Amino acid sequence: MARHSISAVIAFLCFSIVGFARNQQDQLYSVRVSVSTAEQRTEIANAGIAIDKVFSDSIGFIGTKEDIKRVEGLGFSIKASELPRRALDFPSDDKNFHNYSETVASLDEIAKNHPKIAQRFSIGKSLEGREITGIRLSGNPSRDSLPTAIFMGCHHAREHLSVEVPLKLAEYLANNYETDSRVKSLLDTREVVIVPMINPDGAEYDISSGSYKYWRKNRRKNDDGTYGVDLNRNYGKGFGGAGASSSPSSDTYHGPEAFSEPETQAVRDWVRGRKKATVLLSFHTFSELILWPFGHTYDQVPSKTDQDVFETMGKKMATWNKYTPQKSSELYLASGDTTDWAYDELKIFAFTFELTPDSMFGGGFYPGAEAIEPTFKANIEPALYLIEKAENPYSVLNESVDPLRLIP
Ligand code: 0X9
Ligand code: ZN
């Protein structure tokens, strides 16, 4: 491929991020590569790199020496700095983040305190046998055909903030049901299902040594002895295509086949069972983006009407959280993610939010517990909007229709 002459490479400062090697012995680097087009970024994604941040003239990722060599081998120049080791215990320094058992306990607590509207459920077990658990919220729990909004977090282990936001959303909806007429009318006419930790094995592994490991994937032991499948490359649409790696050691390893992993199988079967699911939001971190399908191709979704719905909803939600709204492929191609599958197979209007911070300078994957509350607050309105629009997402194309009037 073309060789790229790099003029401006910005030294990457990683003062607020921490790390141990992902396979214990490997030093990790924070890497900046000067690239400016989606095609160049896809070329890097195709080399098995998990791009964390896209700037107008560069991208950032976290990787090993081998990752750096692969990118240099493509002709790109890089600037890398070692990630320092700094003990950042979880849950001591970051004790307000929820580990797996605390997440389950929080969901149990919500269900216990609000038995009429909240029930905890499991969608299946992770590879290491943890229940992948969620909560169903509805003022009409006996009706099983209500329009359904689905929220998920933590496909990627190190993205701990993506657990906190859906967890807080569950608390917010449950706590405000009796007192907030908007929340009450939404829950009385809809079902909200929230699964905050899709990848519990990875999330637990990331915090298992008292230092964050920058772990992304699940904990599959691959045939070559490396660990992990990227769950957000393991879904069925476009599986194995651009921006997904066939190399098991890669952070974007797609796995041996679509839905090879118990975690994605569980999501697939559970989402298929939500017969009236119309909207879905998969929380990730970071970069402050609102993304919609397709991500595995530069092509638009086949329906121009659906494309308009995605764009209208995405841009509307951005007015509240101030994130950048865009079609996923404008960033770089990535195949086999949740949203492309959910839209393609089930025509669910499925979004990815890349939460706070905006960049590595705000702490990257580990922004600190002080990020939890403001990030949640910024995303309340977008979440309520999605729940409102679950009744009829196409109503967004006619702004004169007040969505609350559509509630039967
Ligand atoms: O690469 C991903 O899976 C997501 N970014 S992250 O930094 N959280 O890993 C973005 C997925 C967006 N979808 C596509 N670009 N297809
Ligand atoms: Zn992610």
Side-chain angles (χ1 to χ4, degrees):
M1 298 302 287
R3 299 192 76 78
H4 305 269
S5 71
I6 308 301
S7 50
V9 181
I10 306 152
F12 186 69
L13 303 173
C14 46
F15 48 82
S16 56
I17 41 186
V18 293
F20 266 145
R22 75 190 63 188
N23 283 326
Q24 312 300 351
Q25 72 277 27
D26 295 344
Q27 172 65 47
L28 289 177
Y29 296 83
S30 185
V31 188
R32 193 80 166 249
V33 190
S34 290
V35 287
S36 53
T37 67
E39 287 76 12
Q40 289 175 328
R41 294 190 289 265
T42 296
E43 206 182 325
I44 291 170
N46 282 343
I49 300 299
I51 295 172
D52 304 323
K53 175 69 192 172
V54 172
F55 299 94
S56 60
D57 60 353
S58 62
I59 60 106
F61 74 90
I62 287 158
T64 60
K65 254 202 177 95
E66 286 63 43
D67 294 329
I68 292 169
K69 276 190 201 138
R70 274 207 314 287
V71 174
E72 284 178 327
L74 294 170
F76 296 105
S77 294
I78 62 98
K79 184 83 180 177
S81 50
E82 280 189 9
L83 282 174
R85 291 171 180 238
R86 195 181 94 200
L88 230 197
D89 205 354
F90 183 110
S92 62
D93 285 10
D94 275 355
K95 68 179 184 316
N96 288 342
F97 283 91
H98 291 72
N99 63 25
Y100 173 70
S101 62
E102 291 163 348
T103 301
V104 177
S106 283
L107 294 176
D108 268 340
E109 187 73 9
I110 297 169
K112 195 178 95 212
N113 292 339
H114 307 275
K116 290 205 179 101
I117 58 162
Q119 301 84 39
R120 189 163 80 76
F121 59 86
S122 168
I123 67 168
K125 283 196 162 117
S126 68
L127 194 80
E128 292 178 350
R130 295 182 176 89
E131 296 286 355
I132 304 171
T133 187
I135 194 154
R136 175 177 188 252
L137 295 147
S138 179
N140 248 319
S142 56
R143 270 184 64 185
D144 60 2
S145 60
L146 294 168
T148 303
I150 297 174
F151 295 87
M152 290 185 279
C154 199
H155 273 75
H156 290 144
R158 61 194 172 190
E159 299 173 13
H160 301 287
L161 193 56
S162 76
V163 176
E164 303 303 320
V165 170
L167 197 53
K168 274 196 164 293
L169 178 63
E171 279 165 8
Y172 176 90
L173 293 171
N175 290 341
N176 286 286
Y177 176 75
E178 296 292 352
T179 51
D180 182 325
S181 59
R182 183 181 179 202
V183 171
K184 181 166 180 5
S185 60
L186 286 174
L187 289 188
D188 282 348
T189 51
R190 288 147 176 78
E191 176 176 303
V192 178
V193 282
I194 300 175
V195 185
M197 196 183 278
I198 298 296
N199 181 9
D201 301 350
E204 286 288 283
Y205 177 70
D206 192 54
I207 59 171
S208 59
S209 67
S211 277
Y212 292 122
K213 294 179 197 289
Y214 285 89
W215 192 254
R216 171 179 169 96
K217 303 186 283 182
N218 74 351
R219 290 297 295 162
R220 165 77 64 193
K221 184 158 191 199
N222 299 314
D223 287 347
D224 67 353
T226 63
Y227 280 88
V229 168
D230 183 348
L231 298 180
N232 215 30
R233 298 292 181 277
N234 192 242
Y235 287 84
K237 182 62 181 172
F239 175 81
S245 177
S246 55
S247 168
S249 63
S250 165
D251 254 353
T252 55
Y253 176 47
H254 49 55
E257 60 189 21
F259 297 112
S260 56
E261 303 311 295
E263 295 86 357
T264 51
Q265 287 166 17
V267 173
R268 176 194 62 194
D269 297 344
W270 168 70
V271 174
R272 279 179 180 164
R274 308 300 101 220
K275 293 295 177 211
K276 291 201 74 182
T278 53
V279 294
L280 181 155
L281 174 49
S282 182
F283 289 106
H284 285 251
T285 76
F286 60 92
S287 281
E288 302 192 345
L289 303 171
I290 295 178
L291 304 174
W292 57 82
F294 282 136
H296 72 286
T297 168
Y298 296 116
D299 293 347
Q300 292 290 351
V301 296
S303 160
K304 175 71 170 80
T305 309
D306 289 4
Q307 179 192 332
D308 289 346
V309 170
F310 274 121
E311 283 176 10
T312 306
M313 293 180 99
K315 286 176 184 166
K316 183 71 178 176
M317 290 189 283
T319 65
W320 293 301
N321 63 14
K322 311 296 181 210
Y323 293 0
T324 303
Q326 59 192 167
K327 180 176 181 286
S328 286
S329 61
E330 286 173 28
L331 277 183
Y332 51 84
L333 294 186
S335 308
D337 87 348
T338 316
T339 61
D340 280 10
W341 164 76
Y343 172 72
D344 179 69
E345 181 179 315
L346 301 164
K347 292 297 167 288
I348 294 172
F349 287 96
F351 291 86
T352 301
F353 278 16
E354 299 280 5
L355 296 166
T356 304
D358 177 38
S359 77
M360 292 81 151
F361 297 102
F365 295 112
Y366 306 110
E370 61 274 17
I372 296 172
E373 191 61 28
T375 305
F376 170 63
K377 284 206 169 116
N379 285 289
I380 294 176
E381 270 309 317
L384 292 177
Y385 171 83
L386 275 183
I387 296 167
E388 279 178 12
K389 301 306 176 191
E391 174 71 26
N392 175 14
Y394 293 96
S395 68
V396 303
L397 299 181
N398 178 1
E399 285 302 335
S400 65
V401 175
D402 175 354
L404 288 176
R405 281 181 27 224
L406 294 171
I407 297 172

